[in-house]
Amino acid sequence: MNTQEILEKQKQYLWPNHILYYTEPLALEHGEGLYVWDVEGRRFLDFFGGILTTSVGHNHPLVIARVREQVGKLIHSSTLYPNENHVRLAEKLAELTPGQLQMSFFTNSGSEANETAMVAAQVYTDNRDMIALRHAYSGRTQLAMSVTAHSTWKLGKTFSPDIKHAVSPYCYRCPLKLTYPTCDIACAQDIEDVIRTTTSGRIAAFMAEPIQGVGGFITPPDEYFKIAVEIARHYGGVFICDEVQTGFGRTGTHWFGISHWGVEPEIMTMAKGIANGFPMGNTITTAEIGKAMVGKGLTLSTFGGNPTSTAASLATIEAMESEAPPAQVDDVGAHLRAGLEKLWDRYPLMGDVRGKGLMQGIEMVADRKSKEPAPAAVNQLFEETRARGLLIGKGGLHSNVIRIAPPLTATKEHVEEALEILDHALAAVHETWSVS
Ligand SMILES: Cc1ncc(COP(=O)(O)O)c(C=O)c1O
């Protein structure tokens, strides 16, 4: 099928609220490494990696080989039967995650992983209330949408009254109108205020992403997580760290984003980059929390921890260790960041550049003084980069943040190629905006 034929069927048979990028949506056909091709044979450098998911690039040979081998033996078993890949992956994740995290429950998506985490926190603490952050994105199930704090991503009518939202550590648009560092990290103190004014005073959890992903790569100040988590623990809660976007070396230096802030969660969730595109979510907890589930209710997952996805994940992690370890992501990410900052010097529509490692965002604004969000400039930049063969992502409450997150196997040469396209695309956008 060509693009038009696919789009016609999409229109007829798929829910129209599937978000599609680009004025003329892009039907992808195959991929290899950092590149993807559309059904008409056009090639694109993929700097969004299927939403931060193809960690080691498209069609990685090791992942393909291991999956083929497993598919030839046993595709599926359900969690009713133990299997070797399942326990090997759980052991590996206990090794890679920080602190005392040890026991996993595998599911199929980030939404499910977060749902599982919140249930575990409530069962373990015997408390109900949970504190999340504004600008969070947590998934598409009802409880996950309750955590999500973007009106645009809340589909439905019923959200959990157990979730209360504190302000986000969003320095570029400080919700408290303060300036770092004289603010004394008042955004973290807001958690205490929210607990004391909107909950029973005892909470089950504080749940947050180390860098808010869909929120627009909002990166908290250094002190934030230590203060926030200490407050949460003081009121009886555990810290659920949502590493769905930031996990697996994405932010450089460490395997998981929260380690930049020296905090050890009691519960961590992961998905996206865990298996290079195979559906998988995981909720890893301390042994104490895992054991506390016993006798509180039965649970299973039909597809969770299945032999095929776990084979893909083990292969993905092995490939990351040898081809894209966190130190390398840090190095290539620093190169990307330096290049983006050079572009910032030349293009005033770029309000803020932020992020860590290979997770870099550009907040686009009408002008740097008013900081008025410029989603139309982002839309044009999308078309201009696509026309030049580069795929990027977007996010933010106002859809005015460019999200750049290539596979972790990106090299400095790939980064140079992307920066050059971005440069030309930004020049074209600026020309339009300075004329209008
Ligand atoms: C931080 C975060 N948590 C959870 C999710 C939900 O993951 P999924 O789409 O796999 O359900 C997402 C998805 O974008 C996410 O970015």
Side-chain angles (χ1 to χ4, degrees):
M1 281 193 252
N2 63 28
T3 298
Q4 278 322 314
E5 289 163 339
I6 293 171
L7 286 178
E8 271 160 35
K9 289 200 190 297
Q10 165 110 15
K11 210 167 161 187
Q12 204 174 348
Y13 297 112
L14 292 170
W15 280 21
N17 60 348
H18 280 92
I19 304 291
L20 295 175
Y21 272 176
Y22 305 109
T23 314
E24 189 189 304
L26 184 59
L28 295 179
E29 200 259 344
H30 73 281
E32 195 181 324
L34 267 281
Y35 296 91
V36 286
W37 283 258
D38 71 6
V39 293
E40 274 81 29
R42 286 177 288 243
R43 189 181 88 147
F44 301 90
L45 177 61
D46 185 1
F47 261 46
F48 201 38
I51 326 182
L52 297 82
T53 297
T54 41
S55 305
V56 290
H58 297 276
N59 287 359
H60 192 284
L62 184 69
V63 180
I64 294 174
R66 293 284 174 75
V67 168
R68 280 209 174 114
E69 191 189 329
Q70 185 57 48
V71 165
K73 287 199 288 192
L74 181 71
I75 295 175
H76 173 75
S77 62
S78 89
T79 51
L80 295 179
Y81 307 95
N83 78 73
E84 184 181 330
N85 289 348
H86 196 184
V87 295
R88 279 180 54 218
L89 181 60
E91 182 181 27
K92 185 73 196 171
L93 292 174
E95 255 170 62
L96 293 182
T97 49
Q100 304 301 309
L101 295 171
Q102 183 185 325
M103 290 188 163
S104 283
F105 194 99
F106 291 95
T107 49
N108 307 287
S109 65
S111 302
E112 263 188 280
N114 282 336
E115 197 92 8
T116 306
M118 287 185 269
V119 169
Q122 288 181 325
V123 170
Y124 173 69
T125 61
D126 213 14
N127 296 329
R128 267 187 82 149
D129 290 308
M130 290 178 278
I131 309 300
L133 294 179
R134 296 185 193 179
H135 298 267
Y137 181 89
S138 194
R140 58 179 308 287
T141 58
Q142 209 170 42
L143 193 52
M145 272 195 291
S146 304
V147 173
T148 293
H150 291 243
S151 53
T152 42
W153 291 109
K154 281 168 118 67
L155 175 67
K157 301 285 172 217
T158 313
F159 302 106
S160 171
D162 299 342
I163 316 283
K164 310 289 189 310
H165 290 90
V167 295
S168 164
Y170 190 176
C171 293
Y172 185 65
R173 294 183 188 279
C174 176
L176 304 171
K177 308 272 179 273
L178 300 171
T179 308
Y180 179 80
T182 50
C183 62
D184 212 15
I185 326 297
C187 53
Q189 305 296 344
D190 184 53
I191 293 171
E192 181 155 33
D193 202 43
V194 171
I195 294 173
R196 296 186 64 182
T197 57
T198 70
T199 77
S200 64
R202 299 295 294 166
I203 62 166
F206 163 60
M207 176 159 167
E209 304 155 72
I211 293 176
Q212 292 186 305
V214 173
F217 290 1
I218 297 170
T219 311
D222 288 347
E223 304 85 341
Y224 178 79
F225 272 108
K226 276 215 167 110
I227 302 170
V229 171
E230 198 180 306
I231 293 170
R233 287 182 180 146
H234 178 75
Y235 290 94
V238 297
F239 174 34
I240 302 174
C241 183
D242 177 344
E243 293 267 4
V244 169
Q245 293 213 11
T246 48
F248 297 97
R250 167 62 56 193
T251 61
T253 314
H254 305 285
W255 280 102
F256 290 91
I258 197 61
S259 298
H260 289 283
W261 291 282
V263 170
E264 295 175 356
E266 288 90 349
I267 303 180
M268 181 185 276
T269 60
M270 51 190 78
K272 291 196 190 290
I274 191 171
N276 217 41
F278 276 78
M280 180 181 281
N282 183 35
T283 307
I284 186 166
T285 68
T286 60
E288 191 180 327
I289 295 178
K291 287 176 187 165
M293 300 304 115
V294 176
K296 303 284 171 45
L298 300 177
T299 193
L300 62 75
S301 176
T302 302
F303 298 120
N306 74 79
T308 312
S309 295
T310 46
S313 179
L314 283 162
T316 303
I317 294 170
E318 195 177 319
M320 281 191 275
E321 283 177 323
S322 61
E323 296 169 38
Q328 178 181 311
V329 174
D330 190 44
D331 186 39
V332 179
H335 192 72
L336 171 62
R337 178 59 172 265
L340 292 176
E341 281 172 5
K342 274 193 201 144
L343 294 176
W344 184 92
D345 289 340
R346 293 176 32 225
Y347 297 111
L349 280 171
M350 295 170 71
D352 191 27
V353 177
R354 57 178 177 251
K356 284 189 186 291
L358 285 171
M359 185 172 184
Q360 298 289 335
I362 309 168
E363 178 148 0
M364 301 288 280
V365 292
D367 66 84
R368 285 183 185 164
K369 196 157 185 290
S370 73
K371 296 187 181 177
E372 190 191 322
V378 166
N379 288 342
Q380 193 191 341
L381 191 67
F382 254 60
E383 302 300 333
E384 300 286 355
T385 45
R386 179 227 180 125
R388 292 167 175 80
L390 175 69
L391 304 187
I392 51 177
K394 62 178 156 178
L397 187 62
H398 307 284
S399 275
N400 69 320
V401 183
I402 297 287
R403 291 196 286 162
I404 300 177
L408 305 173
T409 41
T411 61
K412 289 183 183 169
E413 289 70 38
H414 292 125
V415 167
E416 284 300 318
E417 191 182 334
L419 287 170
E420 196 183 326
I421 296 175
L422 268 175
D423 188 358
H424 290 126
L426 280 162
V429 175
H430 265 264
E431 209 173 291
T432 310
W433 280 63
S434 54
V435 170
S436 60

